Amino acid sequence: MDWLTTVDHKKIGILYLIAGGLFFLIGGIEAILIRIQLMQPKLDFVSAQTFNELITMHGTTMIFLAVMPIIFALMNAIIPLQIGARDVAFPFLNSLGFWTFFFGGLLLNLSWIVGGAPDAGWTSYMPLASNTYSNTHGVDFYSLGLQIAGIGTLLGGINFLVTIINMRAPGMTFMRMPMFTWAVFITSALILFAFPAITVGLVLLTFDRLFGANFFEIANGGNAVLWEHIFWIFGHPEVYILILPAFGIISEVVSTFSRKRLFGYSSMVFATILIGFLGFMVWAHHMFTAGLGPVANALFSIATMLIAVPTGIKIFNWLFTLWGGQLTFNTSSLFAIGFIPTFVMGGVTGVMLASAPADFQYHDSYFVVAHFHYVIVGGLVFGLFSGLFYWWPKMFGRVLNEGLGKITFWTFFIGFHMTFFVQHFLGLMGMPRRVFTYLPNQGFDTMNLISSIGAFLMGVGTIVFLINIAVTAAKPKNAPNDPWVDGRTLEWTIPSPAPEYNFKQTPLVRGLDAYWKEKMAGNKEVPAAEPVGSIHMPSPSIIPFMMSVGLFIAGFGFMFAKDEFANGFVGMLFNNYIVAILGLVITFGGMFLRSVFDDHGWHIEPEELEDKGVKA
Amino acid sequence: MMNRWHAVKRLLPILAGLALLLSACGRADLSTLQPQGPIAEKQYDLMKLSIGMMIVVVVIVFLILAYVLIRFRRRPGQTEIPKQVEGSHKLEIIWTVIPIILLVILVVPTVKYVFEFAQDYSKDKNAIQVKVTSHQYWWEFDYPDYGIKTGQELVIPTTKKISLQLNTVDVLHSFWVPSLFGKIDTNPEGNTNKMYFEAPKAGVYRGKCAELCGQSHALMDFKVKAVDEAKFDAWVQEMKAPAVLPEDPQLAAAFEKKCLSCHAVGDKGGTLGPNLTGIGNKQAVAGVLLNDETPVEENLKNWIADPEKVKPGSKMPKVTLSTEELDGISKYLANYKLQYDNGK
């Protein structure tokens, strides 16, 4: 019950981690099934229909329900600590954001059990995603599930914008903010601008499918290419929403474990902003073959290539952070070091793809599959692993097992390159993506086999990570405040895991890498900006959970409103929108209750602070 | 100037080695790395240029990283604090400017080819005009200047430019012949895409659908057959010749009733399915049952007996045919060969 009502950012971070990890496993199993089917030519392991459902759900799950929430887990767990705040700006919204994400994701994945999973690709291009060509409820689950989950993301983005702008500790100017905070700040801004686009797109898609609207229905004057534009105006910034936090994590880890401040901090900040900005200008490079004409293709080619410049700045800044430092090798730093070459490889193929005339060959081939897995798995997932190993003690009070961690790194790293490196060549040799099978003797056989074996290795790495979590959880919570000894930022000044109120006294920041600066000045602690006083805490609430359940029920109600049911009573409930209305009543009822009842929260008094100690 | 030469001299062996390495990859009639036409060649040049440049970048990063990892690892007993370096404007400017220069080198041919490949030959009298229409899951090729339509196999002369106008009748597909040219999407009517290409070497090239289009997306293969001009003219004449129906009148009746409602042979039949004229000497049945691996008659029989098994989700229904009818029609179609290709 405590976990259903919590509004504490650290607990919500853990909830995000558990839910995101669960969906990560589901997406991973889907990936393994895909690779089994493609292990040899003309296999019949799954049917063509199931395969299309698998690739659609793998993409959708991994992007929206796995890596995004794990990013949100780290954001929630760490950002308030890094900026010296006691919580996020809107704790209630934070909880609401988690629950809408969770129930949206649950709705989407229930499609496997009821009504058939979405099968039109994670991009859901029309007309394939229309009722005419996809006549199960699959795409309805996609549009409604993502809509509900998207509310959570948007709320989270706004929440973190406000938190970072308003709640930094005294002295922490923008140019003294840790790099991870900067990355999350830009990411949140991207969420704020990109998610409304997908929201609108999904509404249009839902209207087309459920209410017979004709936004994309060609026979009635709709336009299929319009969907591509709407989707990618969201979809491209989404890539940067994903990768920027990973950049932030790498910056923290690289600088901590080489015992050096980040090289070129201000150019890093500038590069991050620039990447975020350019990320909005390049969506049409996903559509070079859609027939936009040479002028658009040329401009979008150039704009896309430009992104390589700030990205290159970041790469070299990391290299020169390591230069002259004292690098400690542990799982966290290994993942960060593995990130650099892998991401560079993903980045350079990105520049290759940006050249439109050559992209006519690469597009929708396995070359693209290789490219974006290098960026998203080799970049983001490596970054997330690095961050998890790095901040695990701060989140749970226990340091993850290093031996098992290194096994995870090596199996995952080798498996990853085995899986995806050969796919570049498969694409260049003419293998289109999203194919459920291929003919023998086309030169595809060996490399597909290698690729599948690599995928199994990655699976092994993930399993070892899970074992690691279990083994670690069995040990006592004995991590010190600063388990890496060389921690540089504020989160390492407080106990692990952080107490409920984070900071007994708000810290005073006197420079970049506040904690390191004090350590160098010979101080054990960061000075406080305020006397010990009573701490105001927000009350827990079940309302966010109930509101999300309401949306979940309403989603089902709308989806099945036109279906025939064997049971007349169930039919009556759905066909008259009674279920849908009931769901919305719960949600709006929750909003109403939240508005009319004043909740002033509660206080932790100074005398309690002394004996309360560690409690997350 | 001197410096640039040095760079080029260093790049050349990498590029040469790369070209060798890459050209060993894949089938000549399928791989983008073994281009068989001018457009694919230019795309391949662009690939080589960008891959070469990118390999240089990757190698530099890897070398720095390897050096740093070996040189600056923390050694036992090392306790002094490393110098906390702020950054270096000089270095940062260098690694901003160098990528920009590299990008400019790549942008120039990119822009040049973007416009070159977008040239419109749809009004050109010397080009062969073909309207490509994609269906779930087959391709229709309409030659309006000759008044002929065919399916699954685009026959073209080696001497002329081929100008394509592409559309779809159902969902989005993408037309791709890797060894001849890059892909282009087929959008619904009103959003027609245009493209041109040449295939100067006679031969058969494998084509693919590159946009997820439903269950049998993976099986939506087609062939491009480039032949010399005389053969092409002969093919056109034969395609326009009147239909040849099965000799056995009973079989002919069944064929007309059960097949020609959708398919056409010669001047007879419908347009819902691919035109069957000359299907006996095509490369494949249904795009994926290759006739050089299994006899065409057997492929036809398998396909007609259960289309769903060969191509899940296909619009071709399972037609009720007696065993004799199935055998007879398969045999008849297998023998429906055009003469233009005899001297092959």
Side-chain angles (χ1 to χ4, degrees):
Chain A
M1 190 65 192
D2 187 28
W3 288 96
L4 300 185
T5 60
T6 183
V7 293
D8 178 66
H9 71 96
K10 296 173 289 294
K11 283 190 172 173
I12 289 174
I14 292 170
L15 284 173
Y16 265 116
L17 185 63
I18 294 169
L22 190 72
F23 287 125
F24 184 81
L25 288 182
I26 295 174
I29 291 167
E30 283 154 4
I32 297 277
L33 296 177
I34 291 170
R35 279 319 319 170
I36 293 177
Q37 165 71 12
L38 291 176
M39 213 151 115
Q40 282 171 8
K42 302 201 79 168
L43 276 187
D44 269 329
F45 179 70
V46 293
S47 71
Q49 176 63 26
T50 313
F51 185 87
N52 285 354
E53 293 175 2
L54 281 173
I55 54 164
T56 304
M57 286 301 282
H58 167 68
T60 313
T61 303
M62 284 303 197
I63 299 271
F64 291 100
L65 308 177
V67 288
M68 287 268 284
I70 297 177
I71 291 170
F72 268 75
L74 290 178
M75 279 160 75
N76 265 296
I78 301 304
I79 292 296
L81 307 183
Q82 272 201 334
I83 61 175
R86 292 218 167 94
D87 205 330
V88 293
F90 308 114
F92 179 89
L93 281 191
N94 204 11
S95 157
L96 182 60
F98 169 75
W99 289 111
T100 48
F101 141 69
F102 178 73
F103 280 105
L106 194 64
L107 183 68
L108 184 52
N109 272 282
L110 281 178
S111 65
W112 284 118
I113 304 163
V114 264
D119 56 0
W122 87 278
T123 53
S124 264
Y125 274 13
M126 292 297 255
L128 185 61
S130 67
N131 282 328
T132 325
Y133 299 102
S134 178
N135 50 20
T136 66
H137 276 298
V139 182
D140 299 330
F141 276 106
Y142 171 93
S143 60
L144 289 168
L146 289 189
Q147 190 69 274
I148 296 171
I151 297 172
T153 312
L154 194 50
L155 286 178
I158 294 169
N159 207 342
F160 278 93
L161 277 177
V162 179
T163 305
I164 294 172
I165 293 174
N166 273 347
M167 298 178 64
R168 282 164 292 134
M172 180 168 283
T173 61
F174 269 94
M175 291 314 277
R176 285 178 183 175
M177 252 160 41
M179 210 51 224
F180 180 63
T181 305
W182 255 114
V184 168
F185 182 61
I186 304 295
T187 289
S188 303
L190 292 183
I191 290 174
L192 180 66
F193 291 111
F195 265 73
I198 189 75
T199 306
V200 169
L202 289 172
V203 167
L204 302 185
L205 180 63
T206 311
F207 274 39
D208 261 23
R209 286 188 59 95
L210 295 183
F211 308 119
N214 296 307
F215 293 105
F216 311 114
E217 198 68 57
I218 291 106
N220 296 321
N223 189 334
V225 180
L226 177 65
W227 168 262
E228 296 184 37
H229 280 291
I230 295 176
F231 184 85
W232 287 117
I233 284 175
F234 146 79
H236 198 80
E238 169 71 11
V239 177
Y240 296 94
I241 292 173
L242 298 178
I243 200 65
L244 287 180
F247 286 173
I249 293 167
I250 301 303
S251 302
E252 301 285 323
V253 171
V254 158
S255 115
T256 299
F257 291 114
S258 61
R259 307 183 84 201
K260 266 187 72 199
R261 68 169 280 177
L262 192 65
F263 191 89
Y265 173 82
S266 48
S267 66
M268 285 300 237
V269 171
F270 181 69
T272 310
I273 297 171
L274 203 60
I275 291 172
F277 178 75
L278 287 174
F280 276 98
M281 309 292 156
V282 298
W283 79 91
H285 72 212
H286 296 268
M287 301 164 62
F288 281 150
T289 67
L292 302 175
V295 177
N297 281 358
L299 288 175
F300 279 100
S301 272
I302 296 168
T304 306
M305 287 182 195
L306 278 181
I307 294 186
V309 177
T311 314
I313 293 177
K314 294 190 87 94
I315 301 280
F316 283 104
N317 276 334
W318 287 322
L319 290 177
F320 279 77
T321 305
L322 293 166
W323 193 290
Q326 295 165 0
L327 182 61
T328 313
F329 289 91
N330 54 30
T331 312
S332 179
S333 70
L334 278 176
F335 269 111
I337 293 161
F339 166 96
I340 294 175
T342 312
F343 187 78
V344 168
M345 287 168 72
V348 294
T349 50
V351 178
M352 291 173 65
L353 284 163
S355 172
D359 181 70
F360 295 157
Q361 290 285 25
Y362 309 134
H363 186 77
D364 271 346
S365 78
Y366 256 79
F367 188 85
V368 173
V369 177
H371 158 73
F372 68 71
H373 281 96
Y374 261 82
V375 175
I376 297 180
V377 183
L380 177 60
V381 175
F382 280 21
L384 289 177
F385 268 121
S386 179
L388 284 174
F389 275 89
Y390 182 59
W391 280 311
W392 200 269
K394 193 51 67 184
M395 289 176 78
F396 297 100
R398 303 176 178 96
V399 184
L400 281 169
N401 184 299
E402 272 299 313
L404 289 172
K406 281 177 181 159
I407 296 175
T408 301
F409 171 74
W410 287 111
T411 44
F412 202 86
F413 185 79
I414 294 169
F416 167 80
H417 283 279
M418 254 176 97
T419 310
F420 296 109
F421 187 69
V422 292
Q423 290 186 359
H424 291 115
F425 295 93
L426 280 174
L428 296 178
M429 283 159 56
M431 182 164 163
R433 73 192 268 211
R434 294 167 163 168
V435 289
F436 78 95
T437 191
Y438 49 94
L439 298 179
N441 307 320
Q442 298 193 103
F444 300 163
D445 309 9
T446 321
M447 290 197 216
N448 269 299
L449 180 64
I450 295 175
S451 188
S452 296
I453 296 172
F456 299 146
L457 260 182
M458 288 166 76
V460 171
T462 312
I463 292 169
V464 175
F465 181 63
L466 292 178
I467 296 173
N468 198 344
I469 294 177
V471 168
T472 308
K475 285 195 209 142
K477 281 191 188 183
N478 56 2
N481 289 6
D482 183 8
W484 311 116
V485 185
D486 293 318
R488 308 176 71 86
T489 38
L490 288 177
E491 73 267 31
W492 305 115
T493 60
I494 51 175
S496 309
E500 208 177 351
Y501 44 81
N502 296 354
F503 295 88
K504 195 155 74 175
Q505 294 160 282
T506 304
L508 178 66
V509 176
R510 296 199 285 196
L512 184 67
D513 293 336
Y515 188 30
W516 179 263
K517 198 175 171 66
E518 299 301 337
K519 281 194 229 172
M520 288 305 107
N523 303 327
K524 286 246 154 54
E525 281 173 357
V526 176
E530 60 174 15
V532 179
S534 131
I535 296 172
H536 178 232
M537 301 297 287
S539 309
S541 166
I542 191 71
I543 293 178
F545 179 82
M546 295 312 294
M547 283 170 70
S548 309
V549 171
L551 287 174
F552 178 77
I553 295 171
F556 269 108
F558 281 114
M559 211 178 319
F560 290 103
K562 290 209 182 96
D563 279 27
E564 302 283 330
F565 289 91
N567 182 329
F569 177 67
V570 178
M572 185 201 71
L573 283 182
F574 276 96
N575 293 350
N576 297 314
Y577 288 101
I578 292 174
V579 176
I581 292 168
L582 177 76
L584 289 180
V585 165
I586 296 175
T587 303
F588 285 105
M591 287 162 90
F592 178 77
L593 290 178
R594 170 73 178 165
S595 312
V596 293
F597 288 109
D598 268 350
D599 183 351
H600 298 293
W602 53 287
H603 287 79
I604 301 178
E605 299 306 331
E607 49 275 20
E608 283 181 78
L609 287 174
E610 296 312 319
D611 50 50
K612 224 173 159 150
V614 181
K615 180 179 172 269
Chain B
M1 198 61 206
M2 212 40 220
N3 275 337
R4 205 175 346 153
W5 252 117
H6 269 297
V8 171
K9 262 198 271 182
R10 266 177 214 161
L11 264 174
L12 271 179
I14 295 181
L15 283 177
L18 192 72
L20 268 176
L21 187 77
L22 292 182
S23 58
C25 276
R27 291 171 65 114
D29 61 351
L30 176 64
S31 175
T32 65
L33 302 172
Q34 301 204 36
Q36 306 294 324
I39 295 204
E41 264 161 32
K42 285 167 188 165
Q43 288 170 329
Y44 182 52
D45 288 342
L46 206 48
M47 280 184 206
K48 278 189 291 186
L49 174 72
S50 53
I51 295 179
M53 263 162 46
M54 296 310 147
I55 286 184
V56 173
V57 172
V58 167
V59 166
I60 292 172
V61 171
F62 282 17
L63 286 180
I64 298 178
L65 183 66
Y67 176 76
V68 164
L69 291 186
I70 294 165
R71 173 78 181 74
F72 297 110
R73 51 174 62 218
R74 190 169 186 183
R75 298 175 207 284
Q78 208 171 15
T79 48
E80 84 284 357
I81 301 296
K83 197 167 163 231
Q84 303 291 304
V85 186
E86 189 109 5
S88 157
H89 281 299
K90 210 191 281 170
L91 281 173
E92 282 160 47
I93 287 167
I94 290 175
W95 60 61
T96 311
V97 172
I98 291 179
I100 291 178
I101 295 172
L102 287 178
L103 291 186
V104 170
I105 297 175
L106 191 57
V107 159
V108 174
T110 295
V111 173
K112 182 177 150 226
Y113 288 143
V114 162
F115 285 91
E116 195 180 314
F117 294 169
Q119 273 167 22
D120 183 3
Y121 288 93
S122 62
K123 300 278 184 303
D124 189 336
K125 289 272 175 291
N126 290 319
I128 305 284
Q129 302 294 333
V130 183
K131 284 191 169 153
V132 178
T133 310
S134 54
H135 302 252
Q136 278 178 324
Y137 302 96
W138 62 282
W139 299 89
E140 179 177 315
F141 305 111
D142 178 4
Y143 300 68
D145 295 347
Y146 300 102
I148 48 179
K149 273 185 188 177
T150 176
Q152 293 295 48
E153 205 164 294
L154 175 65
V155 179
I156 51 165
T158 48
T159 43
K160 287 193 175 162
K161 280 205 166 67
I162 318 299
S163 160
L164 304 178
Q165 293 190 48
L166 308 99
N167 281 118
T168 177
V169 292
D170 38 56
V171 304
L172 306 184
H173 304 268
S174 192
F175 190 71
W176 187 27
V177 188
S179 57
L180 291 178
F181 52 83
K183 57 195 77 68
I184 184 101
D185 293 359
T186 59
N187 297 322
E189 199 76 47
N191 234 326
T192 306
N193 278 331
K194 292 176 185 168
M195 199 189 74
Y196 75 95
F197 73 100
E198 289 162 83
K201 290 184 210 165
V204 182
Y205 305 98
R206 290 191 173 189
K208 306 264 176 194
C209 174
E211 183 73 69
L212 179 65
C213 57
Q215 288 187 50
S216 280
H217 162 58
L219 304 173
M220 200 171 147
D221 287 11
F222 62 97
K223 309 286 177 291
V224 173
K225 186 167 184 175
V227 294
D228 62 40
E229 195 140 15
K231 277 189 183 175
F232 179 74
D233 292 338
W235 177 76
V236 171
Q237 290 313 314
E238 284 182 276
M239 286 297 290
K240 292 170 83 162
V244 186
L245 290 177
E247 280 164 22
D248 178 357
Q250 248 184 327
L251 200 61
F255 180 68
E256 275 196 272
K257 187 164 164 257
K258 290 171 177 170
C259 305
L260 290 189
S261 48
C262 297
H263 295 280
V265 280
D267 53 352
K268 278 201 167 67
T271 54
L272 281 176
N275 187 311
L276 298 177
T277 316
I279 190 166
N281 48 357
K282 284 190 180 176
Q283 300 286 321
V285 173
V288 286
L289 301 172
L290 297 172
N291 296 336
D292 56 355
E293 288 175 3
T294 336
V296 55
E297 193 180 332
E298 206 175 308
N299 282 339
L300 280 162
K301 218 187 279 182
N302 282 338
W303 168 241
I304 300 169
D306 194 354
E308 185 69 22
K309 200 176 149 208
V310 178
K311 266 189 175 175
S314 156
K315 296 276 190 304
M316 163 117 171
K318 194 168 178 174
V319 186
T320 37
L321 293 171
S322 67
T323 323
E324 297 86 62
E325 283 172 335
L326 177 62
D327 291 348
I329 288 174
S330 304
K331 190 169 177 144
Y332 150 74
L333 286 175
N335 289 324
Y336 202 134
K337 290 185 176 166
L338 301 181
Q339 300 304 310
Y340 79 101
D341 203 19
N342 260 357
K344 185 173 94 160

